[in-house]
Amino acid sequence: MGDSSTAGNGDYLPPTTPKLPIPGKRNILITSALPYVNNVPHLGNIIGSVLSADVFARYCRLRDYNAVYMCGTDEYGTATETKALEENSTPKQICDKYHAIHRDVYKWFDISFDQFGRTSTPQQTEVCQAIFNKLWENNWLSENTMQQPYCDTCKKFLADRLVEGNCPTPGCNYDSARGDQCEKCGKLLNPTELKDPRCKVCRNTPCIRDTDHLFLELPLLKDKLETYVNNMSVAGGWSQNAVHTTNAWLREGLKQRCITRDLKWGVPVPHEKYKEKVFYVWFDAPIGYVSITSCYTTEWEKWWKNPENVELYQFMGKDNVPFHTVIFPSTLLGTGENWTLMKTISVTEYLNYEAGKFSKSKGIGVFGNDAKDTNIPVEVWRYYLLTNRPEVSDTLFSWADLQAKLNSELLSNLGNFVNRVLSFIAKDLVSGYGSIIPNPEGAESHPLTKALGEKVGNYVEQYIEAMEKVKLKQGLKIAMSISGEGNGYLQESQFWKLYKEDKPSCSIVMSTAAGLVYLLACLLEPFIPSFSREVLKQLNFPPETQVSLADERGDVEKSKRPWHILPAGHKIGIPAPLFKELKDEEVEFYREKFAGSQADRNLKAEAEAKKITDQLNKAKISDANKKKERATKPSVAKSKGSASVEAEISISRLDIRVGLITRAQKHPDADSLYVEEIDVGEAQPRTVVSGLVNYIPLEEMQNRKVCVLCNLKPASMRGIKSQAMVLAASSSDHTRVELVEPPKDAAIGERVTFPGFDGTPDDVLNPKKKVWETLLVDLHSNKELVACYKDLPFTTSAGVCKVASISEGSIR
């Protein structure tokens, strides 16, 4: 159940040589709707397309299918021109900026593209114009005059998104509807339908003028399209919302569809009469799948013109359906060429946010870069979004629900099972197995274990059935059920008693449970790959190991006998907790932090930044005045041989560093103390004793970054010498204590600094001089949870240090 095809750092690395279809194998081409490049993607966008497609792509690789996943940013069209106007930039600069933002967000979310490209490429122009030329030759295009808003102030025709007005749909009346679609009711519009239209640039009312455009003759292509839809929607198991939307378009009667626009930013129309126009973005955007593949391999036609050997799966939100089930296939059918048409489409409804809707234009909700900037790990975000995937109806994102799913499902169920099994196996031979997988001899005749194997085998078959039908939420639920079965199996077996009373049976139970741990890493890899990587690490498998569930290797059959999944004698690694509890005060903090719109949050952030800048400037002026005063005072002569002048007590004398707790355990002789090994960037880790047992669970002390005061004089605490101090904040009533945490990307060993104080720290603080005692009274967490000395933040190269929830607490 293992192979080697992933990068050790967690990023999926496509093969150096591009994959091409292989005769005799399942060749699967996967695309997700190209995210538009004029904004940062929010969580609804992410679950609606790229994350869902990523789960299926990872599943296909798990099954050893020959699969490629193509995506990229959709960069042409009115929205880019509009954004460029807003940001006083060029469309190219906007595309470069937001393409990089999208790429980084998806990288953090562990999205495993084989190619993440963009549509503003020469390849896009080449493929798009070639398809147009075929349609022109085959007489599927017509010329027509249409009325379009013209702005006398801006001296140009206004493409749909450059016009705003009141929605004409009865009962809607939304006053900021765009000329192509109303964001409130979802109705597709023409700019001339808007009531009280306004030019988006100058806000003046446009007039209506005639202009010539090219149209795709959808009515003439209807028979070809209906044949395709009727056959493939059944064969490909299209999701119900896709079938419903497509049939609604067909019932209403297909209309000519304009494919050109009066813009500069887009693919030029290769026709003399229309050379000043570009293709409408919804004509050329789906062609981006093809052009991005052509950037991946020059032999792209082996994927896109090979319907006999390639299955095309497409993922998107419901607002994209007609463009993929009607317009794009009609376009390809009209060329008369042998295109690979979509087999399966998986469509999500909307993910809503707390009390309203996610909105890119209004900046409402949690966006990809917001998730990245929280302390909540990527596997938690992926898990929550996928359990909440809006497959058949709209669903709701809420912070309380995310907390509940993390604490009850990931922490108490999955994480508890894995940690329970591996921690017991890792115990010394007096109470465990010395980290060695025991021999499961006699497992086939052990009733409890045999019954578990049958259950697990059935679950794996159900998992495959669900995933083949792209029922991702169901697949995840089934995988998590195996974790629940594992916990029940441990409880019913009472393995802790078996170890003392019936060791052979205990060996069967623990070998079987360890096999389930590996199997869970396998089944959950498509959903939460970072979890699977960590489990494989704790099982002591190489970083490049890729789990497998391939029929050809017998992996599915092996799952029915979990006691045989891991070989007896295999040595596991070091167990550690996999998930951290999300507390009520953290939930409230995040709910408040992400309330309102991005614009509101940006204003608040700017105000806070100005406040810190003012504080820094005051500190610099104060420090400069002190230095000036010292320079003007006459120096006091010292007698020969006397000690040098004692340095001023300043925060710069403290050597506070970013440290990483590599190991933490209870003090053998003190119930309230932990003993930690902390890497502070030196050749050897430092031993630190901390009185945190009553405040922070042991599992939360493992493998986390902390702020460490490194130049206190070492002190012996209950027989163990403590070589530093971990800094923590305590509440005013001293009932709560939280560690001061550096930013996630802060370098281990780097010094924590305070703006305006640049001195060299003491080698060792002299306890008699009370330097630490004098300074600590001014260490605290502020209202924004930033750790501070007076008004100055604890600062690293990656940002400021914070605490989780204790505001205005004392730090020591």
Side-chain angles (χ1 to χ4, degrees):
M1 298 178 81
D3 195 5
S4 303
S5 306
T6 55
N9 64 359
D11 296 332
Y12 171 74
L13 295 180
T16 308
T17 304
K19 287 182 276 188
L20 294 174
I22 300 170
K25 285 203 83 165
R26 268 194 83 181
N27 300 297
I28 299 180
L29 173 58
I30 300 162
T31 72
S32 57
L34 305 183
Y36 208 80
V37 81
N38 70 325
N39 220 318
V40 181
H42 58 60
L43 297 184
N45 304 136
I46 290 168
I47 186 58
S49 56
V50 295
L51 178 54
S52 296
D54 178 65
V55 172
F56 188 69
R58 286 179 179 276
Y59 166 75
C60 290
R61 299 184 197 115
L62 189 69
R63 297 281 287 148
D64 200 30
Y65 303 152
N66 185 41
V68 292
Y69 176 17
M70 298 289 133
C71 191
T73 41
D74 177 8
E75 302 194 350
Y76 284 139
T78 325
T80 305
E81 284 200 6
T82 305
K83 193 71 174 180
L85 287 167
E86 287 174 10
E87 297 196 9
N88 194 26
S89 183
T90 67
K92 173 74 165 58
Q93 289 169 333
I94 288 292
C95 292
D96 291 345
K97 171 185 172 180
Y98 284 100
H99 175 81
I101 291 172
H102 278 259
R103 182 195 61 217
D104 291 346
V105 166
Y106 302 142
K107 183 178 181 182
W108 187 82
F109 266 94
D110 258 341
I111 309 297
S112 59
F113 305 112
D114 285 88
Q115 180 80 9
F116 184 70
R118 49 202 306 188
T119 57
S120 59
T121 62
Q123 289 90 340
Q124 173 76 356
T125 298
E126 182 181 344
V127 176
C128 194
Q129 290 183 343
I131 288 173
F132 166 80
N133 288 332
K134 283 289 182 184
L135 292 170
W136 184 264
E137 289 170 18
N138 295 339
N139 296 315
W140 298 116
L141 298 176
S142 61
E143 300 178 77
N144 213 332
T145 300
M146 62 185 287
Q147 291 190 317
Q148 192 170 328
Y150 182 88
C151 180
D152 284 313
T153 306
C154 298
K155 302 297 180 189
K156 64 179 182 180
F157 282 102
L158 300 180
D160 41 28
R161 288 200 180 197
L162 286 173
V163 191
E164 287 182 345
N166 292 355
C167 179
T169 306
C172 179
N173 296 320
Y174 181 53
D175 64 1
S176 295
R178 300 191 310 251
D180 61 340
Q181 189 172 22
C182 175
E183 190 181 47
K184 183 180 177 184
C185 71
K187 182 77 172 177
L188 295 177
L189 302 170
N190 287 315
T192 52
E193 295 178 283
L194 291 174
K195 297 177 182 177
D196 301 320
R198 304 176 296 278
C199 170
K200 190 170 175 66
V201 180
C202 68
R203 314 308 293 171
N204 289 324
T205 302
C207 59
I208 302 298
R209 285 191 185 180
D210 288 345
T211 179
D212 291 337
H213 280 285
L214 289 164
F215 291 76
L216 178 64
E217 286 288 348
L218 288 177
L220 301 181
L221 288 159
K222 185 182 178 186
D223 291 346
K224 290 177 182 288
L225 179 67
E226 281 189 329
T227 300
Y228 158 73
V229 169
N230 292 337
N231 292 337
M232 201 61 86
S233 62
V234 176
W238 289 11
S239 52
Q240 274 307 113
N241 41 16
V243 172
H244 176 78
T245 301
T246 306
N247 286 339
W249 270 56
L250 291 169
R251 274 196 311 273
E252 287 174 11
L254 297 178
K255 301 175 179 63
Q256 294 176 321
R257 188 82 182 179
C258 185
I259 66 167
T260 52
R261 281 293 181 267
D262 288 295
L263 291 172
K264 297 296 181 186
W265 183 246
V267 174
V269 179
H271 188 291
E272 185 61 30
K273 182 178 175 182
Y274 299 97
K275 64 183 180 182
E276 297 300 318
K277 300 180 190 288
V278 299
F279 288 115
Y280 175 40
V281 71
W282 273 117
F283 175 77
D284 91 279
I287 295 171
Y289 302 130
V290 183
S291 75
I292 289 167
T293 312
S294 77
C295 293
Y296 171 70
T297 172
T298 55
E299 298 182 85
W300 60 271
E301 291 188 351
K302 290 184 177 179
W303 284 108
W304 281 100
K305 294 185 178 180
N306 190 2
E308 296 80 14
N309 296 305
V310 174
E311 303 168 57
L312 173 58
Y313 283 72
Q314 299 196 291
F315 292 78
M316 66 204 64
K318 64 182 178 183
D319 52 337
N320 284 329
V321 169
F323 305 105
H324 290 79
T325 63
V326 176
I327 296 174
F328 187 42
S330 294
T331 299
L332 297 181
L333 288 166
T335 66
E337 297 176 316
N338 193 32
W339 286 94
T340 302
L341 298 176
M342 177 180 64
K343 175 187 175 184
T344 299
I345 182 171
S346 179
V347 177
T348 57
E349 301 290 315
Y350 292 135
L351 175 69
N352 294 319
Y353 180 71
E354 291 281 348
K357 284 187 175 183
F358 278 94
S359 171
K360 279 200 295 186
S361 59
K362 292 185 174 66
I364 293 172
V366 179
F367 287 69
N369 50 354
D370 295 331
K372 183 179 171 184
D373 291 340
T374 66
N375 289 322
I376 300 171
V378 64
E379 58 269 24
V380 175
W381 286 109
R382 284 181 63 118
Y383 179 80
Y384 179 67
L385 289 173
L386 288 159
T387 58
N388 213 16
R389 185 175 186 249
E391 290 183 0
V392 294
S393 61
D394 292 356
T395 58
L396 184 68
F397 173 99
S398 81
W399 286 103
D401 189 34
L402 183 146
Q403 178 192 27
K405 285 187 166 61
L406 165 55
N407 293 350
S408 64
E409 297 173 19
L410 289 177
L411 180 61
S412 300
N413 176 3
L414 179 63
N416 178 56
F417 173 68
V418 174
N419 194 249
R420 209 172 167 195
V421 173
L422 299 189
S423 295
F424 189 79
I425 292 172
K427 287 183 178 180
D428 59 43
L429 293 173
V430 176
S431 51
Y433 291 92
S435 297
I436 303 298
I437 300 293
N439 189 336
E441 188 175 350
E444 282 83 354
S445 56
H446 189 264
L448 185 63
T449 300
K450 190 176 178 186
L452 176 75
E454 290 173 0
K455 273 186 187 176
V456 169
N458 288 334
Y459 273 130
V460 171
E461 288 174 355
Q462 291 169 28
Y463 169 90
I464 290 171
E465 183 181 356
M467 296 298 282
E468 291 292 335
K469 293 177 179 176
V470 202
K471 295 185 181 296
L472 306 183
K473 197 192 299 194
Q474 185 181 343
L476 178 54
K477 186 177 180 181
I478 292 166
M480 289 295 288
S481 297
I482 292 177
S483 174
E485 292 291 344
N487 277 314
Y489 173 68
L490 290 181
Q491 285 302 109
E492 193 171 349
S493 70
Q494 296 190 313
F495 65 94
W496 58 94
K497 285 187 180 179
L498 287 180
Y499 187 81
K500 298 173 183 174
E501 300 168 4
D502 184 357
K503 204 159 185 179
S505 290
C506 187
S507 295
I508 291 170
V509 169
M510 297 318 295
S511 176
T512 301
L516 285 191
V517 168
Y518 186 95
L519 180 61
L520 283 166
C522 176
L523 298 177
L524 290 170
E525 195 279 339
F527 301 94
I528 43 177
S530 51
F531 160 83
S532 297
R533 290 193 295 271
E534 179 58 28
V535 170
L536 292 176
K537 177 184 172 185
Q538 293 187 24
L539 284 170
N540 195 27
F541 284 97
E544 66 274 9
T545 300
Q546 183 182 6
V547 288
S548 165
L549 195 66
D551 290 327
E552 297 83 359
R553 297 175 185 161
D555 295 332
V556 178
E557 201 58 36
K558 196 184 290 185
S559 69
K560 298 174 184 176
R561 299 184 304 281
W563 53 89
H564 282 326
I565 290 176
L566 294 177
H570 174 77
K571 185 173 184 178
I572 68 168
I574 300 171
L578 292 156
F579 300 101
K580 178 183 172 184
E581 182 185 9
L582 189 61
K583 297 175 181 172
D584 291 343
E585 54 266 30
E586 294 175 275
V587 169
E588 195 52 44
F589 170 74
Y590 289 129
R591 185 185 286 116
E592 184 180 332
K593 180 177 179 180
F594 296 111
S597 69
Q598 276 189 319
D600 297 335
R601 301 200 291 265
N602 288 341
L603 287 173
K604 185 179 176 183
E606 286 170 12
E608 288 175 0
K610 185 177 184 304
K611 180 182 173 184
I612 288 175
T613 302
D614 291 344
Q615 289 166 353
L616 297 184
N617 289 335
K618 285 178 185 176
K620 286 176 183 176
I621 291 167
S622 172
D623 195 41
N625 288 337
K626 285 178 183 176
K627 288 177 181 176
K628 192 173 180 181
E629 284 173 24
R630 289 197 298 271
T632 58
K633 285 181 182 178
S635 61
V636 180
K638 289 274 182 181
S639 61
K640 188 176 180 182
S642 68
S644 60
V645 177
E646 173 65 23
E648 177 193 3
I649 293 181
S650 158
I651 193 69
S652 63
R653 292 177 64 179
L654 301 187
D655 183 11
I656 302 175
R657 297 187 218 165
V658 175
L660 176 69
I661 301 175
T662 56
R663 186 182 177 210
Q665 58 188 350
K666 293 272 190 74
H667 193 299
D669 299 317
D671 291 340
S672 63
L673 300 179
Y674 285 132
V675 180
E676 304 114 25
E677 298 294 321
I678 305 182
D679 181 357
V680 291
E682 298 170 339
Q684 297 294 327
R686 293 202 186 195
T687 300
V688 180
V689 180
S690 305
L692 297 169
V693 169
N694 297 327
Y695 303 102
I696 301 175
L698 181 59
E699 61 267 20
E700 292 183 19
M701 293 291 292
Q702 312 290 341
N703 196 35
R704 67 185 293 180
K705 286 182 178 174
V706 287
C707 289
V708 185
L709 179 59
C710 292
N711 60 343
L712 282 177
K713 187 176 180 180
S716 184
M717 300 179 73
R718 291 290 184 94
I720 295 178
K721 185 171 282 190
S722 182
Q723 300 169 317
M725 176 189 285
V726 174
L727 298 184
S730 62
S731 57
S732 57
D733 59 1
H734 303 293
T735 59
R736 292 186 297 134
V737 174
E738 295 172 348
L739 294 173
V740 177
E741 294 190 275
K744 191 174 182 181
D745 296 331
I748 295 168
E750 79 164 285
R751 190 178 171 203
V752 175
T753 59
F754 300 85
F757 292 90
D758 303 321
T760 303
D762 293 10
D763 289 336
V764 178
L765 295 171
N766 186 338
K768 293 180 181 179
K769 301 298 181 182
K770 304 292 183 185
V771 176
W772 167 240
E773 291 79 359
T774 302
L775 294 167
L776 71 82
V777 296
D778 289 316
L779 299 180
H780 65 100
S781 59
N782 66 14
K783 290 180 180 178
E784 287 77 39
L785 306 180
V786 176
C788 294
Y789 166 67
K790 297 185 177 177
D791 291 328
L792 304 176
F794 283 50
T795 305
T796 73
S797 60
V800 299
C801 305
K802 291 190 170 186
V803 296
S805 65
I806 298 173
S807 64
E808 300 184 308
S810 57
I811 291 177
R812 58 200 60 207

